[in-house]
Structure formats: C-alpha cells, structure tokens
Amino acid sequence: MIKSLVGGIVAATAFVMLSSSAIADPEIVKGPAAEPDCFVPWAADTQFFKFPKKEGPYRIALANGYIANTWRIQMIQTAKAYAAQKDVAAKLKEFKVVSTGEDVPAQISAINNFIDSGYDAIVVNAQNPTAFGPVIKRAKEAGVVLVAFDNILDTKDAINVNVDQKGLGELWANWLIKHIPNGGKLLEVRGVAGTSVDTDRHNGIHEVLDASGKKWEVTEVAGKWDDPTAQKVTADAIATNGPFVGITGQGGDTGIVQAMIDAKHPFVPFGGETENGFRKFCAAHAADGLKCSSAGTGPAQVAVAIKTAIAALEGQVVPQSVKLPLAIVEDPNFKAGQDYFPDQSDNFFVGNSFPTCGINFTAQEIMGQSKENQ
C-alpha cells in the first residue's frame, strides 16, 4: 500500500514536471527587438517577448481559413515561396499549409491537430478574433509559438503581426471627404463578415465619416475581397441604390470598377486596396473622374509572420504585436512599372515586399507556387 502510494506520488510529480517544462511562457523583457527595423512594436506600451530557445530545424505550420479570393491565394503562394528560399529553408524541417474555409471550428481543429502533431510554431490567419481562447491556451501549454497575422487574435498570449487596419479605413474615408465636398451617397464594399480586418476597416471608415460634419448615406454590400463577388454586389447596388458620389472597397476593387463600367456609372473618387488591376484602372481613368487612393499591405505579410515565428523559436526578442507599414499610392502618382504592372495579372497584389525585413518577391517567384494544402 505504502509502495503503491509512493509510486503514485513519484508518477504525479514526474507528470507535473513534464507538463510545466512544456509551457512556453515567454519572458517579458525590455526592447528593442532583435531586428528593430523589421519587428516594429505596435505601440509605446507593447511588451517584448523572449521565448525559450529551441534547436532547429523547425516544424512550422500555416493554418489559413478563407481561401476563395486572390489575396488569400497569393498569400498561400507567398508563404510557400518564402519557405523555399535558401536561408529560410535551412531553418525548416517541415512547412505545412492547411486552408479550412470560413468554418471557424474547422480552423480551430486544424490548429489543435498541429499542436498534437508536435509542431514548433503555428502561423494563423484567423477567421474570428475571439473564438480561439482554448486553442491559444493549448498552444501555450504545449510550448508552441503562435503567430497571428492579417486577421489577428484578441489575446496577449500570442504574437500578432498586422497593419493598422482601422487606420486604413480612416485613410480611405479621408480620401473621399477630401474629394467629395458636399457629402452624398457612398458605396462601401466590405470583406468577409466576422473577421477582424473587415470590422476594423469598416469602423475606421465610419468613425471618420461620422466626424466629418457632412451628410452621408452609405450602402453596404459584402464583396468578400473577391473580384467576381464584388463585381456582382456592386452591379446590384448600382441598380437598386445608385448612383453614388464615391466608393470604398476593401478588396475585389478591379471587379467593382468593372461593374461601374458595365453599368455606365460615372467614375467617382474611390478608396481601395492594392490590386494590380485596380491600379491599372486608376491610372487609365484618372482624367475621367476615377480619383483613387490605393492602400493596403500585400500578402507578403505572411512572410513577416513566418520570420517572426522563427525568430521567437531562436530565442530572439520580438514584440508581442508587430506593426507593418502600409503600401500607399494616390492619384496622380500612379507610375507604370513601379505602382502597377501593365503586363501582369489584374489579380496580382502590388506591394509584395518589406525591405526593412529583407523580404522581397518577384511575381514569377510567387505565381510559381500552388494554392493547395500541403
């Protein structure tokens, strides 16, 4: 009886020791980050993490959600292109990609599977900012570094990498206010409902419009950041609520302009994303009234997220929240070969480099990769 009890205590003690050793609580340290020009803290009070160093090479997974638009497809291709670069590939034992669609439980299940399979880090573009609490806790307890980008996680227990999405909405709204002196009817083409990006951009737009003192009547439609979807909902909106004095689109902007052309809707000021086709239209029709602000961040932010995960695994100091710069060009400064590329696909997102992070891709390098799970 005594022997059995002692054995149980020893086993329990060993279990506690094993469990506690797996927890990858980062040490909170003073900045700056290991690469301060790349890993820029979000705000003055952003904490800096130093995770326990792991020996490489590493197993890293990308858990993507929504895939049915060109930005996400290009993002997957960019992630694979980055993982294939010689210096990065030398640090990776395995790089796995899974896209699960708009089903939040399916994305959570995928992350759980990666944790159970012993991956060192998981990079995630989250379908919902608040639904991942239990899986964030599991990752922490398992010693897995979790890095969210683009659509981030509402937590201090993971690293977030993003641009100021609300600030992007504010930028577009200010562009419309500048070019539409008397207010009026606007069309707002939103993204994917429930994501942090869509919500933040929408809030930024409306806070600025509401504070302008002008009267606005805004028609909202869901374009899902996708050209065909955005083109259809724009055509429907023009037919039922048009004409509009200005437009803002979170993505699918090439399709939005095409819907205007098809409906013979007058060209109006437009605050939109960084699609190559949209910028082609902006340059071609500026004199006809299509005055554009094209801003955002290319899908290459996934490469910054992977770079951040590797740095954390190597025990380097990184901010808990990394702020990326916006790529912005506005009328009349659209230059062929620099701001848009006449010979490239309309669906290609421009601004696919972060020079301060040593990240830069050619269109050919990205487009040579597949969008499929691996």
Side-chain angles (χ1 to χ4, degrees):
M1 178 70 176
I2 294 174
K3 183 178 181 182
S4 175
L5 179 61
V6 170
I9 292 172
V10 171
T13 303
F15 176 78
V16 169
M17 291 176 64
L18 180 64
S19 297
S20 62
S21 67
I23 295 176
D25 266 351
E27 182 184 358
I28 306 300
V29 299
K30 291 184 178 181
E35 296 185 39
D37 291 338
C38 176
F39 304 132
V40 177
W42 188 268
D45 61 351
T46 297
Q47 292 182 325
F48 289 85
F49 286 171
K50 190 175 192 303
F51 285 83
K53 182 179 179 180
K54 284 189 175 183
E55 294 300 320
Y58 306 112
R59 298 175 71 210
I60 296 179
L62 168 58
N64 179 51
Y66 184 73
I67 188 65
N69 67 23
T70 54
W71 196 99
R72 290 296 181 101
I73 292 169
Q74 189 175 328
M75 181 270 290
I76 295 294
Q77 293 171 313
T78 304
K80 292 179 179 179
Y82 184 67
Q85 290 183 348
K86 184 177 179 180
D87 291 346
V88 180
K91 298 182 178 184
L92 298 178
K93 182 178 181 180
E94 181 182 0
F95 182 65
K96 183 82 171 179
V97 176
V98 169
S99 295
T100 53
E102 296 184 65
D103 186 344
V104 174
Q107 189 176 28
I108 292 172
S109 177
I111 296 171
N112 274 318
N113 287 338
F114 287 134
I115 294 170
D116 292 339
S117 298
Y119 280 78
D120 299 300
I122 302 169
V123 177
V124 57
N125 194 330
Q127 280 303 112
N128 182 289
T130 60
F132 289 74
V135 79
I136 293 170
K137 183 174 183 293
R138 281 205 70 218
K140 183 177 178 180
E141 290 173 346
V144 178
V145 173
L146 192 61
V147 181
F149 71 100
D150 186 35
N151 289 288
I152 56 175
L153 296 168
D154 186 13
T155 181
K156 297 294 186 183
D157 288 327
I159 300 170
N160 285 321
V161 175
N162 205 2
V163 300
D164 185 356
Q165 302 288 359
K166 184 177 180 182
L168 182 55
E170 292 169 350
L171 181 145
W172 291 332
N174 279 315
W175 178 260
L176 295 178
I177 290 168
K178 176 181 176 181
H179 289 84
I180 306 169
N182 300 317
K185 294 173 67 174
L186 299 179
L187 175 63
E188 179 190 1
V189 183
R190 299 186 61 170
V192 175
T195 59
S196 64
V197 168
D198 174 72
T199 300
D200 290 347
R201 291 179 177 186
H202 170 78
N203 289 342
I205 290 166
H206 283 267
E207 286 183 17
V208 170
L209 292 178
D210 292 345
S212 69
K214 299 180 181 182
K215 186 176 180 180
W216 305 100
E217 179 184 340
V218 182
T219 296
E220 297 179 25
V221 294
K224 293 193 171 184
W225 307 317
D226 171 61
D227 279 331
T229 305
Q231 183 171 339
K232 182 182 184 305
V233 297
T234 298
D236 293 343
I238 290 172
T240 56
N241 291 350
F244 301 101
V245 298
I247 295 176
T248 180
Q250 294 193 20
D253 298 334
T254 309
I256 296 171
V257 178
Q258 189 59 57
M260 295 169 65
I261 293 171
D262 293 344
K264 296 182 171 54
H265 187 286
F267 287 118
V268 294
F270 195 137
E273 252 281 358
T274 61
E275 298 104 321
N276 193 45
F278 174 56
R279 289 187 171 186
K280 288 181 191 179
F281 275 138
C282 292
H285 296 288
D288 305 320
L290 187 63
K291 303 295 184 182
C292 299
S293 174
S294 173
T297 181
Q301 63 176 282
V302 68
V304 182
I306 298 169
K307 180 182 176 75
T308 305
I310 293 172
L313 290 168
E314 291 177 335
Q316 298 182 37
V317 176
V318 295
Q320 185 272 322
S321 188
V322 178
K323 189 173 187 177
L324 301 177
L326 287 170
I328 305 170
V329 63
E330 297 180 333
D331 180 82
N333 298 316
F334 289 88
K335 297 180 177 62
Q338 174 180 309
D339 303 309
Y340 68 98
F341 300 88
D343 297 331
Q344 293 293 338
S345 166
D346 287 350
N347 294 331
F348 184 77
F349 279 79
V350 184
N352 247 323
S353 65
F354 291 98
T356 55
C357 294
I359 291 171
N360 189 36
F361 298 96
T362 65
Q364 293 77 13
E365 188 178 6
I366 293 170
M367 295 309 176
Q369 303 291 331
S370 74
K371 67 176 183 180
E372 308 302 330
N373 290 346
Q374 66 176 33

